[in-house]
Amino acid sequence: MSTAPLAADKPEMLRLEGVHKHFGSHHVLRNVSLSVRQGDKVVLCGPSGSGKSTLIRCINRLVSHDQGRVLVEGIEVSDHARDLELIRRDVGMVFQQFNLFPHLTILENCTLAPTWARKMGKKDAEALALSLLERVHIPDQAHKYPPQLSGGQQQRAAIARALCMKPKVMLFDEPTSALDPEMVKEVLDVMTELAAEGMTMICVTHEMGFARKVADQVVFMDKGEIVEEAPPEEFFTAPRNERTRQFLCQILSHE
């Protein structure tokens, strides 16, 4: 199943063509095809174990796919070292767990990748990091260590760290699922701001309010397949597939 272009005049940033992935005998992704254009905001939803996180991890080769093609700006994602390095520079990722280095300050966490991977000077990297910490509303946390921050602050620091690489695409893998409920909004607010600024985003989330507000396209996955994809209004008010209707009934009843 392939996504119709959301804006045909915009360049295609990501394409998955017939992607399959197995973990042993478990067929995690089954013939997944998806197209994402510049500036698109795509939300992936579905029950646990449906393949959502595996799908986005295939985009930057954190997980290698077994069959099919994954392309980022026309470059095929493979184990070829130079291409993979270029792709990972342009594709930022924010994980469910924050993955910050606990022995480094927030500022040091943010400047590590641009100084090593982009060969940015220390002063320039620090200036960029401080501007991005301001952007995610935690400039006063720059010289603290991750354990000194709340979960919501750590996740916003992780977003700033990813943005320090000046990515063209941001991937979010359930970025609020490890947070206490009162911290979810502060992270979603930052993501909403990024979306409003035109960032190309793919987000795995169960936050359906966020999907309604921000997404251009909502993609429902189940058992490793894309079952349904549609703009939010259509997805939430007139889902075509019975599996989608069952999922929405279950998850919306808990909101």
Side-chain angles (χ1 to χ4, degrees):
M1 191 173 180
S2 180
T3 306
L6 301 182
D9 57 329
K10 295 182 179 180
E12 187 176 65
M13 299 298 291
L14 302 172
R15 173 174 286 274
L16 286 78
E17 299 176 350
V19 171
H20 291 260
K21 175 63 185 176
H22 294 79
F23 289 123
S25 61
H26 183 31
H27 200 168
V28 184
L29 295 177
R30 301 170 181 265
N31 196 33
V32 172
S33 295
L34 187 68
S35 173
V36 180
R37 293 185 175 270
Q38 186 181 71
D40 287 351
K41 290 85 184 169
V42 177
V43 166
L44 299 180
C45 63
S48 296
S50 58
K52 308 180 299 294
S53 293
T54 300
L55 186 156
I56 64 169
R57 286 165 183 257
C58 285
I59 292 171
N60 58 4
R61 201 69 172 180
L62 290 177
V63 170
S64 58
H65 54 286
D66 301 324
Q67 189 178 333
R69 302 175 77 211
V70 178
L71 300 102
V72 178
E73 286 195 292
I75 301 174
E76 186 160 1
V77 178
S78 69
D79 287 330
H80 190 284
R82 176 164 173 75
D83 285 351
L84 192 55
E85 181 183 340
L86 290 172
I87 287 164
R88 285 179 174 165
R89 286 183 187 181
D90 288 342
V91 180
M93 187 155 182
V94 176
F95 300 87
Q96 180 177 344
Q97 302 297 335
F98 322 122
N99 290 4
L100 297 166
F101 292 110
H103 64 290
L104 300 178
T105 66
I106 297 304
L107 182 61
E108 289 167 340
N109 267 281
C110 289
T111 58
L112 189 62
T115 54
W116 281 91
R118 290 200 179 274
K119 309 303 180 187
M120 191 179 292
K122 183 180 178 182
K123 285 188 177 180
D124 289 341
E126 287 184 349
L128 174 63
L130 289 170
S131 71
L132 289 169
L133 290 171
E134 178 81 42
R135 185 173 172 186
V136 300
H137 313 300
I138 51 167
D140 53 328
Q141 309 300 321
H143 300 290
K144 293 182 181 179
Y145 292 87
Q148 296 177 284
L149 275 61
S150 70
Q153 289 171 331
Q154 288 188 65
Q155 192 61 292
R156 284 185 281 162
I159 293 171
R161 179 184 58 180
L163 292 173
C164 279
M165 286 294 286
K166 300 181 179 179
K168 297 178 181 178
V169 179
M170 284 286 286
L171 308 176
F172 294 89
D173 188 5
E174 301 200 37
T176 60
S177 62
L179 300 177
D180 292 333
E182 65 269 19
M183 297 177 185
V184 169
K185 183 180 183 299
E186 62 192 46
V187 172
L188 292 179
D189 284 348
V190 167
M191 293 169 61
T192 301
E193 289 170 14
L194 277 179
E197 292 165 8
M199 175 64 73
T200 306
M201 297 166 57
I202 303 180
C203 183
V204 174
T205 185
H206 291 297
E207 300 289 343
M208 295 296 98
F210 173 80
R212 281 179 183 267
K213 180 178 180 180
V214 171
D216 299 301
Q217 196 84 341
V218 183
V219 177
F220 174 66
M221 294 186 68
D222 191 21
K223 298 178 182 177
E225 299 177 312
I226 291 180
V227 174
E228 186 160 347
E229 45 191 313
E233 184 63 27
E234 180 183 336
F235 183 85
F236 287 106
T237 61
R240 297 184 300 275
N241 191 284
E242 179 59 27
R243 281 151 72 188
T244 312
R245 290 193 286 272
Q246 290 172 356
F247 172 78
L248 288 173
C249 183
Q250 182 178 36
I251 198 165
L252 294 176
S253 68
H254 290 92
E255 286 199 344

